Amino acid sequence: MPDELLHLPVIHSILSRQKDAPGALLPILHAIQNAIGFIPDDAVPDIAHALNLSLAEVRGVISFYHDFRTTPPARHTLRLCRAESCQSRGSEALAAQLREQLALDDHGTSADGAISLRPVYCLGACACSPALELDGQVHARLTPERLRALVNGCLEDAAC
Ligand code: FES
């Protein structure tokens, strides 16, 4: 059975539970992403039909919010803090290092599905800036060398 068909019962269950709530689109999109890891494009017609919206309206909301993914998540997600305290301690240079090392933009996912980059605006670790979150774990007092080692660990892990 194609992967997209495996998701349909989950998506239909979410739609039937939440479609009548006021402002249902965003909660439905979050619920789908939480349940299956991303919002498949194949789900857009069902979402649009359930909410009486156009395909363009649903796709517009999905593309407006960077946290929504339309492809399966990478094995590792690295969220580099770009807020003020981290900026003042070098996070922009670290972001440039990430872009160069991985040949990705700030919201990119590597072609092999090893790692996704996402900016974040404060992880609550300002006293230990600059900081990032890798797969839910915060790493602070980053240096270029520590960042490179963390990324290399993700890439090696993905190669196994
Ligand atoms: S500004 Fe980066 S952790 Fe707060």
Side-chain angles (χ1 to χ4, degrees), residues 1-140:
M1 180 183 295
D3 282 353
E4 59 269 18
L5 294 181
L6 296 174
H7 303 312
L8 283 178
V10 174
I11 291 166
H12 289 162
S13 171
I14 290 168
L15 288 173
S16 68
R17 280 197 319 269
Q18 301 191 25
K19 68 179 181 169
D20 295 322
L25 180 56
L26 281 174
I28 284 172
L29 295 176
H30 282 291
I32 292 171
Q33 183 159 294
N34 288 342
I36 62 177
F38 68 111
I39 302 164
D41 194 60
D42 291 350
V44 170
D46 289 346
I47 298 168
H49 183 261
L51 300 179
N52 200 24
L53 297 171
S54 70
L55 297 178
E57 286 171 305
V58 176
R59 289 196 175 106
V61 169
I62 293 170
S63 63
F64 181 79
Y65 293 100
H66 286 301
D67 278 347
F68 288 135
R69 289 185 296 266
T70 55
T71 56
R75 288 182 288 282
H76 299 283
T77 300
L78 189 157
R79 304 192 320 150
L80 179 65
C81 180
R82 309 292 288 277
E84 289 175 10
S85 175
C86 289
Q87 267 191 34
S88 72
R89 290 176 170 251
S91 69
E92 291 308 306
L94 295 174
Q97 177 181 319
L98 278 175
R99 290 192 295 268
E100 182 188 341
Q101 182 178 2
L102 295 167
L104 296 174
D105 66 25
D106 291 336
H107 297 269
T109 295
S110 59
D112 62 358
I115 188 166
S116 285
L117 300 181
R118 296 283 180 271
V120 65
Y121 295 90
C122 197
L123 292 163
C126 312
C128 305
S129 298
L132 63 74
E133 183 187 85
L134 177 60
D135 299 334
Q137 182 176 354
V138 174
H139 299 263

